[in-house]
Amino acid sequence: MAQRHLDPTQPAATAPPPHPTSASTGTGTSASTSATARGDAGAGPRADADTDALVGYLRAQATEFLRALRRHRESGTGAGAAPATGPATGAGTGPGARKGAGTAAGTGTHAGAATRTGTGTHAGANGTYGGPDRAAPPADDVDAARALRRAARRISATLHTFQPLLDADWAEEMRPELAWLSGTLAMEHAYASRLERLLQALHRLSGSTAFPAPRPVGRSTVTTTVPPAVPAAAHPASANRSNLTVGAAKAGALLDRQLTLARTRAHSTALQALGSSRFHAVADKVALLASEVPLSSTGRGAAAAPRPDAAPVDLRPLATAAQDRLTDAVAALPLVTAGSPYNAEALVHGLSPDPAPHPQDAPWHQVRLLLRLHRYALEALAGAAAGDVDADDGVDVRLLAAGEALNRHRDAAEAAAAAAQAARTPRIAPATAYALGVLHADQRHEVEAARYAFQHSWRKEPIRLP
C-alpha cells in the first residue's frame, strides 16, 4: 500500500506563506501546548541563530547525504556494481554517470538499475524474489540507505521552514525531488516492517508458530524472531481461539504473499530510481549545496553584513511559526477523548466497506509531519551536527516520546489497512477472513493506544533541573 505524502502546512497569521511539503521530512517530535511551555520545547537555540547557522546546518546535512551515498555505493560493489570514480570536487558527474560511475564529491551512485540488476527481475520487477537462501544484506548497506533518507528529510524540512531566507525557485525545485527520493527509498522498508508487525500480532493473538518467515528480497530483509511456542495448557481451548488458530496460518500466508510482492516491486523501483538521471540531478544539486547555499536577497544581505550596524536575520521567528502551526494542529485533535484508555474511538467505522484510510487518522498523520518540521527547526537553531547519532540527546524527552507515539500510530494504522485489504481478497476461507478481522481490530486498538500515549506525553509537564 503506497505511502501518502501529506501537506504539513497550516495557514497562520504569523507564519510565512505556506508551501506544500511531503512526508519525506523525517521522524518528528513535538512541543508543548501552552504558550509558557513553548519556550521550553526542545533544545535551546544558540545565541547566534542567524543565517550563518542555517547555512552551516544545510551544508552539514548535504555533506552527510554525500557521505551516505558513498557508503551505499561501496556496500553495493559486491553485488556487481561498478565502482565510482568521480572527481574529488565539483558539481558535475563523471564519465558514464548514467551507469553509476560517479557524482560530485566522489560519492557516486552505487549502480544503475540496468548495470546492477539487469532488468530488475531479481528484485522482483515481475513479482519474483531472491529466495530464502539469499544472504542477508550488509548492515552497512541498510545503515547507509537510512542515513541517505535521514539527510534528505532534514534538508527538505529545512528548505520548507526557512524558505524566506533561501532562493525561492531553487527551494521549490529541490523539495519535491528530495521528497521523491526519500519516499522511494522508504517504501521497501515500510512493507517489510508492516509484514513483520502483522505476523507478530497474529502469533500473539493465536499462539501459533505456523507462519512463514519474511522472505529476503533483493538486498534487504527484515528478520522476524518468532517467540517459542506456548504450551497448550497456557491457553485453554475455546471455540474462538481454535477458529483463529486455524485461520491464522492462512491469513499469515496471504499477508506474506501480498506484502512480499509489494516489497519486491518497491525494491525494484528503488534500484531503478538510484540509477536514473533524475537521481543524478538530485545528487549534483546536493553536492552544490555542500559548498554553497543559495540564499534570497534577505539571506544574502544578512550573511554578507555589509554595514557594521546591520542586524542579522534571526531564525527564531520562522521556527516559532512552524511551532505555532504544530500547536494549532494538535489543538484540533480530540485529546480529551484520547486521554481515556479504551475509549474505542479508533474502532469507529471499523466495518465500513470503504477501502480508503480512516478519515480520523489524517489529522494525526498531519501532526506527525508537523512534529518533524518542528524538530528539525530546533536542530537548525541548535546547530546539531548532521552525522551525530546522539543529536536527540539535547531534545526534550517529552518531544521524543510524543514523536515515537505518532510513529506507532502511523504503523498501526497502515497495518490495519493492510489487514483489511487482505480480507477483501475474493474466495478466501471464512476462518481466514475471521482471523484477518481480529487482526484488523487488534491494530486499530494499537492506534488507540498510540493516541493515548501521545496525549500523555504531550501534556506532561517538563522537568526542570536546578
Side-chain angles (χ1 to χ4, degrees):
M1 131 184 201
Q3 287 183 341
R4 296 181 302 120
H5 295 297
L6 301 178
D7 180 6
T9 58
Q10 295 290 344
T14 60
H19 298 279
T21 187
S22 71
S24 68
T25 50
T27 57
T29 51
S30 80
S32 174
T33 53
S34 64
T36 303
R38 286 181 187 177
D40 302 326
R46 300 189 315 181
D48 57 342
D50 53 15
T51 309
D52 291 337
L54 174 63
V55 170
Y57 182 76
L58 281 174
R59 292 180 64 181
Q61 295 299 335
T63 302
E64 178 65 16
F65 180 96
L66 298 176
R67 185 181 297 114
L69 184 59
R70 183 180 184 88
R71 294 207 323 265
H72 196 279
R73 185 267 305 170
E74 291 174 348
S75 63
T77 55
T85 56
T89 58
T93 57
R98 291 299 178 266
K99 294 184 180 179
T103 59
T107 55
T109 57
H110 65 292
T115 59
R116 180 175 175 190
T117 59
T119 58
T121 54
H122 175 81
N126 58 354
T128 60
Y129 53 90
D133 56 342
R134 181 168 177 80
D140 188 63
D141 190 14
V142 178
D143 294 340
R146 184 180 295 111
L148 195 65
R149 290 162 42 204
R150 178 182 184 273
R153 290 193 303 260
R154 279 163 169 78
I155 295 174
S156 178
T158 306
L159 296 185
H160 169 76
T161 303
F162 302 103
Q163 185 171 1
L165 301 179
L166 303 169
D167 183 83
D169 295 337
W170 171 79
E172 284 293 336
E173 184 180 358
M174 275 289 290
R175 280 187 15 242
E177 297 303 297
L178 292 171
W180 161 76
L181 176 61
S182 179
T184 301
L185 296 180
M187 290 304 298
E188 181 183 359
H189 173 73
Y191 284 122
S193 300
R194 197 170 305 153
L195 176 59
E196 179 184 17
R197 181 186 185 93
L198 289 171
L199 293 183
Q200 288 181 343
L202 278 174
H203 177 274
R204 171 172 49 82
L205 292 169
S206 67
S208 172
T209 58
F211 302 122
R215 294 173 288 191
V217 179
R219 293 179 47 77
S220 65
T221 185
V222 174
T223 302
T224 302
T225 303
V226 179
V230 180
H235 298 288
S238 65
N240 288 338
R241 177 167 293 278
S242 175
N243 192 21
L244 179 58
T245 304
V246 169
K250 293 183 179 180
L254 178 60
L255 290 169
D256 178 69
R257 288 195 302 271
Q258 292 183 349
L259 293 178
T260 300
L261 176 60
R263 181 183 167 194
T264 55
R265 290 174 175 170
H267 177 79
S268 179
T269 300
L271 288 183
Q272 293 173 6
L274 290 174
S276 65
S277 59
R278 184 179 182 181
F279 170 74
H280 286 286
V282 174
D284 291 343
K285 292 176 182 178
V286 174
L288 284 174
L289 179 62
S291 58
E292 180 182 1
V293 178
L295 299 174
S296 64
S297 57
T298 303
R300 284 195 303 269
R307 301 189 312 274
D309 58 343
V313 176
D314 194 353
L315 303 180
R316 282 168 289 193
L318 296 174
T320 302
Q323 182 176 346
D324 291 340
R325 292 192 294 270
L326 166 64
T327 304
D328 294 341
V330 173
L333 296 177
L335 293 185
V336 175
T337 303
S340 303
Y342 308 108
N343 56 74
E345 181 72 15
L347 295 175
V348 176
H349 306 303
L351 297 178
S352 172
D354 187 4
H358 278 245
Q360 59 175 293
D361 294 339
W364 295 86
H365 296 331
Q366 183 86 353
V367 169
R368 176 177 168 271
L369 300 183
L370 290 171
L371 290 173
R372 292 175 167 178
L373 291 177
H374 174 61
R375 177 184 173 185
Y376 297 153
L378 291 180
E379 285 186 6
L381 293 180
D388 186 5
V389 297
D390 297 327
D392 293 340
D393 292 346
V395 182
D396 194 326
V397 293
R398 297 177 303 125
L399 309 183
L400 297 178
E404 291 172 358
L406 287 184
N407 286 338
R408 293 196 303 270
H409 178 275
R410 176 207 57 184
D411 294 341
E414 293 180 347
Q421 181 64 28
R424 296 185 181 96
T425 303
R427 297 183 298 277
I428 59 175
T432 305
Y434 174 72
L436 291 171
V438 173
L439 180 61
H440 175 268
D442 174 75
Q443 292 303 300
R444 293 307 301 179
H445 276 297
E446 293 290 336
V447 168
E448 179 183 308
R451 293 176 183 178
Y452 176 80
F454 170 78
Q455 185 273 158
H456 182 70
S457 301
W458 179 264
R459 296 190 170 184
K460 183 181 297 183
E461 291 295 330
I463 300 176
R464 299 182 180 275
L465 298 178

